[in-house]
Amino acid sequence: MSDDVTAHVEGDPAQDLGTGVPQARWPLYEVFVRGKRGLNHVHVGSLHAPDDTMALHNARNLYTRRNEGVSIWVVRGDAITASSPDEKDPFFAPAGDKVYRHPTFYDIPDSVPHL
Amino acid sequence: MADETTRLATAAGPDGTTDVPEHLRRELEEAFERTVGSEGRVEPRDWMPEGYRKTLIRQVAQHAHSEIIGMQPEGNWILRAPSLRRKAILLAKVQDEAGHGLYLYSATETLGVDRGELTAKLISSKQKYSSIFNYPTLTFADIGVIGWLVDGAAICNQVPLCRSSYGPYARAMVRICKEESFHQRQGFELLRTLMAGTEAQRAMVQDAVDRWWWPSLMMFGPADGDSPNTQQSMAWRIKRHTNDELRQRYVDMSVPQAEALGVTFPDPELRWNAERGSYDFGAIDWDEFTAVVKGAGPCNAQRLAHRRAAHENGQWVRDAASAYAAKQEARRREGVAA
């Protein structure tokens, strides 16, 4: 993401801030919340925190202020391996031509029950 | 061909500025326009035109900054709330505003900017926030009016953005809109309570309405004729209605609410137009709007100074958290080594 050219387009970067001490950035964490028992954890957003424990607490404060969850996962963004974003990606192509994996592929007379 | 485009889109990085051959660039643009035009969603690592990314960063960051600065006029009354109930509500509301700011900073970061940088731009006035927060909260009735009128205008603006073409922004807006409903209702309830009180309390509500009505109308931005970027933003589906359309919708929604409350809006020209099926209203003072945007509002300097001070005074907390994390990490490593 550091190669984004828009980041500094409007002016100087943040060096003149605060005490002037260059800060290490806190890592980015992606947050996943289980809405209730029986459901999967679902991605809800991200936050920054100095460590895993703080990330969990911040996630609690930020994403579950109204009982939105019974369980939270926080995962450092740099620990996630992702497929390429484009949906046309050949990565998914092998699934494209295998219609026989779907039940509707098979022609069964309507008169046959429970099938 | 599609495969080649895909590879290039990925190789080009988030800004898409790597030297992409012209014919492939056109293909990427066409694919993008097809997605947006058919109400599809653009997701963070997709190729997108430079202008789309820049406009979104500016729009979402400005929205995030507004939520953060918006904590100040209301935070001003937390310690002076008239009851524990009102104090708990106000505290929860201000906390929500912080949350909304963070959801939006999170969405902005998916476009390739760092939120530390956005804060830096806010406090050095390189990015703006909504001008409405440059007006002062003079009485507790202002808290009710902010919930009713200011958050009401925000909802009017934001509900259509739940269908923004940029996925992370749309998802943040869904979450925010759910919470804004509490904000508006608590404001209206507060005002109803005051209106059921003494003559002085009713006058306080009317005074607050008189001060906030016009600035609320300005929240929708310049008139359509003076909003040159609207057409492009609408084509990109990051804006779903024009400023004037939203403003009219807001006026039409607000008038019956004012009647239910028993207050009037300070506009002698406000009247029902049966032909249009809408309320006509008077001319907005665009000179005031421009002046406040440019920094001459009653509280511009104060709001920024406060945000800057909060950032600087919080430095030791961030440093301490970093130091603690570093120490824990070092201990963990020692433990592993031993």
Side-chain angles (χ1 to χ4, degrees):
Chain A
M1 291 286 188
S2 58
D3 56 349
D4 177 64
V5 295
T6 64
H8 299 293
V9 77
E10 294 183 352
D12 301 319
Q15 283 134 356
D16 58 342
L17 276 185
T19 58
V21 179
Q23 286 186 56
R25 281 177 191 167
W26 286 348
L28 181 75
Y29 286 84
E30 298 293 344
V31 181
F32 301 79
V33 171
R34 185 200 291 286
K36 59 180 183 183
R37 303 181 70 82
L39 297 180
N40 288 320
H41 285 77
V42 174
H43 181 246
V44 292
S46 68
L47 50 77
H48 289 264
D51 60 37
D52 298 354
T53 312
M54 284 287 283
L56 203 52
H57 280 100
N58 291 351
R60 190 270 316 270
N61 293 339
L62 185 55
Y63 290 105
T64 61
R65 290 195 303 282
R66 290 180 173 77
N67 298 318
E68 291 95 335
V70 294
S71 163
I72 301 176
W73 291 344
V74 289
V75 184
R76 272 184 66 144
D78 57 16
I80 294 176
T81 306
S83 63
S84 167
D86 200 303
E87 284 164 12
K88 294 184 311 223
D89 197 310
F91 192 71
F92 295 105
D97 59 354
K98 296 179 180 60
V99 283
Y100 47 85
R101 283 184 169 157
H102 298 278
T104 48
F105 177 74
Y106 302 94
D107 202 9
I108 309 277
D110 291 343
S111 54
V112 182
H114 306 303
L115 201 70
Chain B
M1 196 50 147
D3 295 0
E4 198 181 357
T5 313
T6 302
R7 265 201 313 281
L8 275 162
T10 312
D15 52 279
T17 50
T18 314
D19 290 333
V20 182
E22 186 55 31
H23 69 286
L24 287 176
R25 184 172 194 88
R26 266 203 309 280
E27 197 174 312
L28 287 167
E29 270 167 15
E30 280 162 17
F32 170 84
E33 275 159 23
R34 264 197 308 280
T35 302
V36 168
S38 60
E39 292 294 330
R41 292 291 177 265
V42 180
E43 293 295 343
R45 291 160 66 217
D46 291 346
W47 185 90
M48 57 188 90
E50 190 61 11
Y52 178 85
R53 178 186 302 277
K54 271 191 191 171
T55 306
L56 261 178
I57 289 174
R58 192 169 55 237
Q59 180 180 337
V60 185
Q62 180 168 330
H63 189 169
H65 296 330
S66 303
E67 301 283 357
I68 297 299
I69 295 287
M71 296 163 75
Q72 291 184 41
E74 296 184 285
N76 182 29
W77 282 90
I78 291 174
L79 293 179
R80 292 181 286 167
S83 68
L84 188 55
R85 178 175 182 271
R86 294 289 170 198
K87 187 182 300 215
I89 291 170
L90 189 52
L91 201 54
K93 181 175 189 295
V94 172
Q95 193 190 12
D96 274 353
E97 307 298 358
H100 296 177
L102 293 176
Y103 303 154
L104 290 163
Y105 283 132
S106 165
T108 321
E109 285 200 311
T110 65
L111 291 160
V113 284
D114 178 83
R115 74 185 71 182
E117 239 166 62
L118 297 175
T119 299
K121 284 185 178 171
L122 169 64
I123 65 186
S124 58
S125 299
K126 289 185 181 113
Q127 283 178 340
K128 293 189 190 315
Y129 55 89
S130 174
S131 279
I132 191 81
F133 302 116
N134 291 318
Y135 292 88
T137 42
L138 302 180
T139 71
F140 196 69
D142 289 37
I143 298 305
V145 170
I146 286 181
W148 171 39
L149 291 181
V150 175
D151 290 325
I155 290 171
C156 220
N157 254 328
Q158 291 170 0
V159 166
L161 294 177
C162 296
R163 294 181 295 125
S164 159
S165 63
Y166 189 58
Y169 188 35
R171 293 191 285 274
M173 292 316 310
V174 168
R175 190 169 270 276
I176 288 172
C177 285
K178 277 187 197 161
E179 301 183 355
E180 289 288 353
S181 176
F182 141 60
H183 295 180
Q184 196 186 18
R185 289 172 66 102
Q186 68 81 34
F188 198 82
E189 188 231 37
L190 191 164
L191 296 175
R192 267 174 53 91
T193 309
L194 279 172
M195 291 303 285
T198 65
E199 200 48 55
Q201 284 172 318
R202 276 189 289 278
M204 194 164 89
V205 173
Q206 184 61 58
D207 167 66
V209 170
D210 289 345
R211 283 182 288 107
W212 288 94
W213 173 245
W214 288 108
S216 299
L217 291 187
M218 294 176 196
M219 284 176 72
F220 297 92
D224 291 350
D226 299 318
S227 182
N229 299 323
T230 291
Q231 283 315 315
Q232 178 63 79
S233 290
M234 286 184 59
W236 278 334
R237 306 279 210 277
I238 53 180
K239 188 166 179 169
R240 311 294 316 219
H241 306 281
T242 71
N243 296 350
D244 286 335
E245 283 167 8
L246 290 168
R247 189 161 19 238
Q248 181 69 61
R249 185 181 299 179
Y250 173 70
V251 171
D252 292 345
M253 282 179 358
S254 300
V255 172
Q257 293 170 351
E259 283 165 5
L261 198 56
V263 296
T264 57
F265 291 130
D267 179 359
E269 293 174 52
L270 184 67
R271 66 177 60 89
W272 178 249
N273 181 331
E275 206 172 298
R276 289 201 305 124
S278 271
Y279 285 89
D280 290 337
F281 54 98
I284 290 169
D285 181 355
W286 292 114
D287 290 342
E288 175 181 328
F289 174 76
T290 308
V292 177
V293 168
K294 288 193 171 155
C299 301
N300 293 59
Q302 183 189 339
R303 298 288 185 244
L304 270 182
H306 187 86
R307 180 68 191 90
R308 195 177 299 118
H311 184 74
E312 287 167 5
N313 296 336
Q315 184 65 49
W316 72 270
V317 179
R318 295 190 293 277
D319 289 345
S322 297
Y324 180 76
K327 195 164 90 179
Q328 293 297 107
E329 177 63 14
R331 283 199 182 149
R332 194 185 60 80
R333 281 182 196 204
E334 273 169 29
V336 171

